[in-house]
Every structure is written in C-alpha cells, then in structure tokens.
Amino acid sequence: MDPLLVRAAKREPLERPPVWFMRQAGRSLPEYRAVRERYSFWEVAQTPELCAEVTLQPVRRHDVDAAVMFADIMTPVLALGVDVELREGVGPIVDRPIRSAADVARLRQPEPEAFAPLLEAIRIVRGELRADQAVVGFCGGPFTVAGYLVEGKPSREYATVKALMYCEPSVWHALMDVLASCFSGYVAAQVRAGADVVQLFDSWVGVLSPSDYEEFVAPWSARILAAAGAPTIHFGTGTATLLPAMAKAGGDVIGLDWRLPLDEGWARVGDRGVQGNLDPVALLGPWQRVEAAARDVLARAAGRPGHIFNLGHGVLPGTEPDVLTRLVATVREID
Ligand code: CP3
C-alpha cells in the first residue's frame, strides 16, 4: 500500500486527508534548537544522521503523515558554486549576486556526490517511517531561487530580478536553464533514494503577472516537475491569478495559500489535487479560531479525493508546537 500522501496525490478516495506542515522541521521545535546549539545549519543539512534526526522530530512529535527533508531551497545552489548564508530570521544572503552572462557562465553543474549526504538522509528517514507515512523531497521553484540569487537577499518587489528578465531575457533564460538542469537531477535523485513525493516551493512567484509567469517561469518549472519521477506538489503564494497557469505547468497537486477559500482555489486549479490552506498566522491566535479555520478548510474540501491538509504557507517561527500537535489530532477527528 502506498503512503497516504501518495494516494491523495493520485486522488484515490481516502477515509481522511493526509496532514503535514510545510516548514514543520526546525523553527519552533525545542529539540531542533538543541541540535542547532551544537551545529550550524549546513552542518546539520550535510550530516546524514543529523539531517534525518531533525527531519523526523516533527513526525514523532505531531504524528504527521509526511516527513519533509531538512534542507533549504538554496542547498543545491551551494553545489553550483555559489556562496549562500542562511541568516536566521532574515533568509538567504548571496554576497556576489548573479546579474550578468558572465555570472551565469561561472555556475557549474554539481558533481553527483554533491547531494550524497541528503540522499543518505532520505534512506535513513524512509527506513524509520511507517509504510503509510511519506518522505517529501523538494526543491525551490526556479523564480524563487533566482530571486535570491539575483537580488542577493530577500526582497519585497523583486524589482532587480524582474528588470533582469525584461532587459536581458537571454541571461534570464540561461540562468533558468542552469537551475532547471540542476534541480531536475536533484529531485530525481531524491526519488531514487526513497522520496515518495516531490514538492516544488516557488514561494514568491506570486509577484509575477500571469503572462510574465507563462513566458519566464512556467516552461522551467514544467521541466523540473516532469523530471521528478514521483507524484509532485506545485506550491506558491499570492498565486490566485496564476493557479491555472501553474496547473498547466505541472503538479499532481497544486498548493493553495489562504488568500482564496479552498473551494474557490480548487475551482481555478481544475482537474488536480490541492494542498492547503490554513493561514499560518491563524495558529498564533486563540485555539477556537484555529479549530474553526480547520473546520472551514475541511468543509470546503468536502471529502473530495485529492485534498492534502496543510497550511497555506510554512509554519511561522513563533508557533507553539502544541498547537500543531492538537491541529493534527483535530483534523483526524473532524474528518
Ligand atoms: O520543514 C522544514 O523546515 C524543512 C526544511 C526547509 C527549510 N527551508 C529549512 C530552513 C524547507 C522546506 C525550506 C524551504 C524554504 N527556504 C523556502 C520555501 C518555503 C517557504 O517558507 O516559503 C524558502 C523561501 C526558503 C528560504 C529561506 N531559508 C528563508 C526565508 C529562511 C530564513 C527564515 C527563517 O526561517 O529564519 C531560510 C533559512 C532556513 N531554512 C531555516 C530553516 C530551518 C532557519 C535557519 C536556521 O535554523 O538556521
């Protein structure tokens, strides 16, 4: 029997929707902070036993149906030869941003061994989970990762990266080609190592218009999603107007944020599964509101095959871990 998450992605009828949380590892967990007191982020991510441990912490604590591998969307970018610092509470910082044809030409495709620690961690995690629980492998969306590479830091408008797209489309597409090749190999290797599902996190793609998305991003996302070799989840935020184009680019399941009620988002996605979409900020409010919001999500999904219960974006650092545990139990009770 396939893991519940895989069966949902295939839109098999299920007794209850699978539940897990984007960014469930790290962040709010004291057991994660204890590991991080002794090791840096990259040390954890690149030591298979530590990576597996941190990946499994939220599964043990919350009894979620999936383990999302502990890595970052910038992990494969290190293997391209770019220096990235993950500054806690800020995000990825790139000291020498990629802005010219020469900058793109300096990127080199990774050696196959570059991903060995993550692949080993996947084997460990797969071995520790029950058969009904899934390993989620992932990569960043090409726009979101390029955003950090070109801007050099988190941004609100993504003006530098959008200007590069408009002014130097050949440099843009060369960069996309490098990222799509790298990420295609990266996700396919994760699946061969035991990942059951692959998620593409294009978190900031919502800053684009639908036509810019189709011209500059969709073909590259399509290439990565087609390369995975396992069911895929295609996620972004601020995507209300992009959902049809994202679904066309690919993904067995489309991730929805909280800005549209789940049933309205699902109507825009069409003939696919959907994942979402409780507002992560709701978890900072009183429990009655959390429970009501969870009921609303489930009522709008109405038991249709293909729903995966999740937040509309990642768990926020200030979230009380017990609220997540209680939310998992509640989703199971209600459904
Ligand atoms: O459940 C998990 O957390 C699994 C691992 C994971 C991380 N990053 C670890 C991480 C995943 C799935 C990601 C994805 C990621 N990273 C995304 C897509 C999802 C999203 O939230 O939109 C994005 C945009 C990033 C980029 C990134 N990396 C940011 C914005 C930050 C800093 C913000 C913060 O959380 O402090 C990071 C750093 C990062 N990635 C941390 C973790 C646990 C925090 C740094 C640390 O613990 O040292």
Side-chain angles (χ1 to χ4, degrees):
M1 191 67 101
D2 283 334
L4 206 56
L5 195 73
V6 170
R7 297 175 61 204
K10 292 179 174 169
R11 285 189 286 159
E12 291 177 20
L14 299 173
E15 275 173 27
R16 63 173 184 87
V19 48
W20 69 285
F21 304 115
M22 295 180 277
R23 307 294 314 271
Q24 67 191 11
R27 297 226 144 165
S28 59
L29 297 188
E31 55 272 39
Y32 169 72
R33 295 216 187 94
V35 173
R36 280 299 314 286
E37 269 167 32
R38 298 176 54 200
Y39 306 97
S40 73
F41 183 96
W42 296 126
E43 280 171 333
V44 176
Q46 281 160 10
T47 309
E49 294 73 21
L50 291 175
C51 175
E53 166 59 22
V54 165
T55 298
L56 288 165
Q57 284 172 347
V59 182
R60 292 191 200 111
R61 187 188 260 266
H62 306 308
D63 192 26
V64 279
D65 295 303
V68 55
M69 291 310 300
F70 186 81
D72 191 78
I73 59 167
M74 301 304 277
T75 297
V77 170
L78 293 185
L80 294 172
V82 181
D83 247 347
V84 184
E85 183 203 338
L86 293 182
R87 206 168 290 165
E88 206 171 335
V90 179
I93 307 290
V94 178
D95 277 336
R96 290 183 64 196
I98 310 287
R99 295 191 178 160
S100 66
D103 293 335
V104 176
R106 268 202 307 277
L107 303 173
R108 44 176 171 72
Q109 282 302 325
E111 303 295 325
E113 312 83 76
F115 306 132
L118 173 66
L119 303 181
E120 183 53 27
I122 290 175
R123 288 181 204 106
I124 297 171
V125 170
R126 187 55 275 174
E128 294 283 325
L129 294 178
R130 298 189 309 260
D132 61 300
Q133 296 169 318
V135 176
V136 178
F138 73 91
C139 70
F143 177 80
T144 297
V145 173
Y148 290 120
L149 286 175
V150 174
E151 302 281 342
K153 58 182 190 308
S155 157
R156 226 160 67 96
E157 313 281 346
Y158 285 96
T160 312
V161 69
K162 287 170 74 172
L164 178 77
M165 262 164 31
Y166 303 142
C167 298
E168 305 210 53
S170 65
V171 174
W172 171 260
H173 286 296
L175 175 59
M176 289 292 98
D177 194 24
V178 171
L179 295 181
S181 302
C182 172
F183 295 177
S184 297
Y186 181 62
V187 292
Q190 292 181 61
V191 170
R192 287 195 300 273
D196 301 290
V197 171
V198 165
Q199 177 156 328
L200 187 85
F201 280 96
D202 214 351
S203 303
W204 310 130
V205 74
V207 299
L208 296 177
S209 70
S211 62
D212 283 355
Y213 174 77
E214 298 228 42
E215 179 178 354
F216 294 108
V217 179
W220 305 107
S221 297
R223 187 162 134 195
I224 300 165
L225 289 162
T232 52
I233 303 170
H234 189 179
F235 167 80
T237 72
T239 53
T241 62
L242 301 183
L243 290 172
M246 285 175 67
K248 200 169 120 202
D252 299 286
V253 175
I254 307 298
L256 302 176
D257 77 10
W258 63 93
R259 292 174 178 88
L260 272 181
L262 183 128
D263 49 338
E264 287 179 39
W266 206 335
R268 294 185 191 198
V269 161
D271 198 21
R272 306 292 168 85
V274 297
Q275 172 171 278
N277 72 338
L278 201 153
D279 183 352
V281 180
L283 305 194
L284 306 181
W287 171 253
Q288 302 90 286
R289 290 190 68 93
V290 177
E291 190 182 334
R295 280 186 189 281
D296 183 64
V297 167
L298 291 167
R300 291 175 187 277
R304 280 176 281 178
H307 178 226
I308 298 167
F309 190 97
N310 205 315
L311 305 179
H313 198 175
V315 174
L316 291 167
T319 308
E320 181 59 57
D322 288 349
V323 174
L324 292 170
T325 308
R326 198 169 171 189
L327 179 57
V328 172
T330 302
V331 169
R332 296 212 176 119
E333 273 165 32
I334 295 172
D335 215 75

